[in-house]
Amino acid sequence: MEPQPTAAQAIETVFRLESPRIVAGVARVVRDVGIAEELAQDALVAAMEQWPRDGVPGNPGAWLMATARHRAVDLVRRRETYARKLAEIGRDLETTAPPEEPADPEDIDDDLLRLVFTTCHPVLSPQARTALTLRLLGGLTTAEIARAFLVPEPTVAQRVVRAKRTLATRNVAFEVPYGPDREARLGSVLDVIYLIFNEGYAATAGDDLLRPGLCEDALRLARVLSALMPKEPEVHGLTALLEFQASRAAARTGPDGAPVLLKDQNRRRWNRMLIARGVQALARADAAGTGEPGPYGLQAAIAACHAHAYTYEETDWRTITTLYGLLAARSPSPVVELNRAVAVSMADGPAEGLRLVDALAAEPALRDYHLLPSVRGDLLTRLGRTAEARAEFARAASLTRNARERALLLGRAAGDG
């Protein structure tokens, strides 16, 4: 017989799963994500006091939500500055206990959507958006966020505190934007989720190439957003991209944690279930779109080309080259051009790819980007210019802060691969 979880274990599990919904539901009442998080924590404290004594309730998530909402209503009543809100909300709730279950599940979904757009508001720095999103929507503690991004815990704590203060002092509305603001705000939301995933997929620094927890958190957020915004093609495009990328995770490192290049990966280790989910999400993006695909949709289409190739040699590089050309026109950047150069080198030969890479050498954004000399080294190797290639790999190794990537690049500089 499986041992029953203790009250403390139940509290920890339920709160991690339910805290985003609780914070979102309470924020709708108090209109302040910082206060909403405090009230959610108050509900957690109440659970820690009562559940060990009275037993875990039949619906612990609803219990926490009801407790937090009761406290929110009490706070609204107590504050004179909330007089108007009291007239609109407090009196209606004064004689009515919060329901054990939301009357309409869509209400919670709407609240979650508002919380997503609030934590990713452009008034916050990208670092603050990421930290606050992981804290309130990902359910991560300050220590877990600090550990994931290899920054001091006080730094993360300051980012979270300042982010909540900024949202309050700037009177950021707890709402989903509409009209001309929506596309820009949605772009910010998608960028934050993609940043979280990328940091897990190819860690900027530290001893490990992968941080699977961050990939899982980002993928979960993308899936939630897809369910909340089914008519937004770029939401499905991002979800498809992350599904495809996540499908390769098991093959990207060897038994010792060393990186495995795409051409050397055992594709039988690619997760076909995630690939199938990616195909479905990409189809939803196509169905929802009314014009040209957006940047995430195009990147997902590129990832799909890799996913459909059962061997490296079967990869449709010609189509990938075309897609990168569309992406460069839709969302131009030096990194996109670098990736396009790699695709061109596979479709038209390394000499043509090297010509495009050399044209990017003066780009300020790529000056300290380790993948520029890494790509150049690979192209030089394919052209038989071994000495030049080794120098490029050594330069790339000096630029990366990830220990695993550095070891791989130093090995290639020494002629090991």
Side-chain angles (χ1 to χ4, degrees), residues 219-374:
L219 190 50
R220 178 163 53 85
L221 290 173
R223 289 169 179 167
V224 167
L225 200 60
S226 288
L228 297 178
M229 305 185 74
K231 296 181 180 179
E232 293 289 346
E234 274 292 79
V235 173
H236 297 303
L238 175 64
T239 304
L241 175 61
L242 301 195
E243 300 279 11
F244 286 132
Q245 297 289 69
S247 72
R248 305 182 208 163
R252 293 190 68 238
T253 56
D256 61 350
V260 179
L261 298 175
L262 179 63
K263 65 183 179 64
D264 299 322
Q265 288 176 16
N266 179 359
R267 299 191 176 207
R268 287 176 295 181
R269 298 189 68 198
W270 287 9
N271 189 317
R272 308 313 297 186
M273 183 189 72
L274 291 180
I275 290 174
R277 292 186 66 124
V279 170
Q280 292 169 356
L282 189 55
R284 286 193 291 270
D286 291 339
T290 56
E292 294 296 322
Y296 287 115
L298 288 168
Q299 290 180 76
I302 291 168
C305 289
H306 291 292
H308 290 314
Y310 283 91
T311 66
Y312 186 72
E313 291 71 25
E314 293 175 25
T315 305
D316 186 355
W317 290 107
R318 188 69 60 189
T319 295
I320 291 175
T321 298
T322 300
L323 289 169
Y324 268 122
L326 294 173
L327 181 60
R330 181 74 170 78
S331 183
S333 82
V335 173
V336 170
E337 290 294 346
L338 180 62
N339 287 325
R340 187 173 76 87
V342 173
V344 168
S345 78
M346 298 304 297
D348 299 326
E352 183 61 20
L354 183 61
R355 182 185 68 79
L356 296 176
V357 170
D358 285 347
L360 296 170
E363 286 285 348
L366 299 180
R367 184 171 295 120
D368 297 320
Y369 188 51
H370 72 282
L371 290 182
L372 177 64
S374 176

Side-chain angles (χ1 to χ4, degrees), residues 177-186:
Y178 293 93
D181 293 336
R182 180 161 183 154
E183 184 175 352
R185 290 279 297 280
L186 179 59

Side-chain angles (χ1 to χ4, degrees), residues 39-57:
L39 292 172
Q41 292 289 339
D42 286 347
L44 174 63
V45 172
M48 294 173 68
E49 293 173 349
Q50 296 181 39
W51 292 8
R53 182 188 66 228
D54 303 334
V56 178

